[in-house]
């Protein structure tokens, strides 16, 4: 191979671009990775802080719900042992772990239906609509009308 040909091929290789986007892409990927780790941890800390705030506001007589759906009234709290005594029915009390009590039940006032509302004329199931469900077998003219033994 001639020295002139070798020099030309080396200069051609040096002139080609060598992936100019990688120095910019690496920091961007690192920032994305940090965000993917940090954001869920932040949400989890906020949720934990809300639960702790609700638990600190609880006292005897508070209506609560556990995270497995048991409703009851707090009778006593032992924060050192992480135990709560819940009365789930008159005379029936259970002891649960403090961390399972996650929701304070708010007293909701049910909205009373308005007395002056009229029934929907298209609602055939409404009481007093005058129609009853019809069995299709009752329309058969070949059938004798009498007691049915279905």
């Amino acid at each position: 191979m001639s020295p002139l040909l070798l020099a030309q091929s080396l200069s051609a290789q040096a002139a080609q671009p060598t992936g100019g986007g990688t120095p910019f892409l690496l920091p961007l990927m690192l920032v994305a990775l940090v965000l993917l780790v940090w954001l869920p941890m932040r949400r989890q800390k906020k949720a934990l802080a809300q639960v702790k705030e609700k638990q600190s506001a609880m006292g005897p007589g508070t209506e609560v719900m556990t995270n497995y759906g048991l409703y009851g009234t707090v009778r006593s709290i032992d924060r050192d042992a992480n135990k709560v005594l819940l009365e789930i029915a008159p005379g029936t009390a259970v002891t649960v772990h403090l961390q399972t009590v996650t929701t304070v039940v708010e007293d909701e006032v049910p909205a009373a239906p308005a007395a002056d509302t009229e029934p929907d004329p298209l609602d055939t199931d409404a009481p007093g609509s005058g129609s009853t469900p019809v069995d299709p077998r009752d329309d058969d003219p070949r059938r004798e009308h009498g007691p049915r033994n279905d």
Side-chain angles (χ1 to χ4, degrees), residues 13-145:
Q13 287 178 357
Q16 292 179 352
T18 57
T22 55
F24 184 70
L25 187 61
L26 184 63
L28 183 65
M29 290 180 70
L30 287 175
V31 167
L33 181 66
V34 168
L35 286 176
L36 286 173
V37 171
W38 181 68
L39 288 176
M41 287 178 19
R42 184 173 168 231
R43 272 190 232 123
Q44 185 179 11
K45 283 183 181 182
K46 281 185 178 182
L48 186 62
Q50 287 177 347
V51 168
K52 289 206 181 270
E53 180 182 325
K54 287 180 183 179
Q55 287 177 350
S56 66
M58 282 189 305
T62 306
E63 295 285 327
V64 296
M65 182 183 79
T66 62
N67 61 358
Y68 48 89
L70 184 66
Y71 287 88
T73 305
V74 175
R75 291 296 163 218
S76 66
I77 299 176
D78 185 6
R79 295 191 193 279
D80 296 330
N82 288 326
K83 292 183 180 181
V84 177
L85 184 65
L86 291 180
E87 183 176 18
I88 56 173
T92 305
V94 294
T95 303
V96 296
H97 196 275
L98 181 62
Q99 289 180 346
T100 63
V101 182
T102 56
T103 306
V104 175
V105 178
E106 304 288 330
D107 289 333
E108 295 181 13
V109 179
D116 61 345
T117 59
E118 296 180 17
D120 186 10
L122 300 176
D123 188 11
T124 58
D125 295 333
S129 65
S131 66
T132 58
V134 176
D135 188 358
R137 292 174 285 187
D138 290 340
D139 294 337
D140 191 3
R142 296 172 290 167
R143 196 169 164 269
E144 293 182 25
H145 295 288

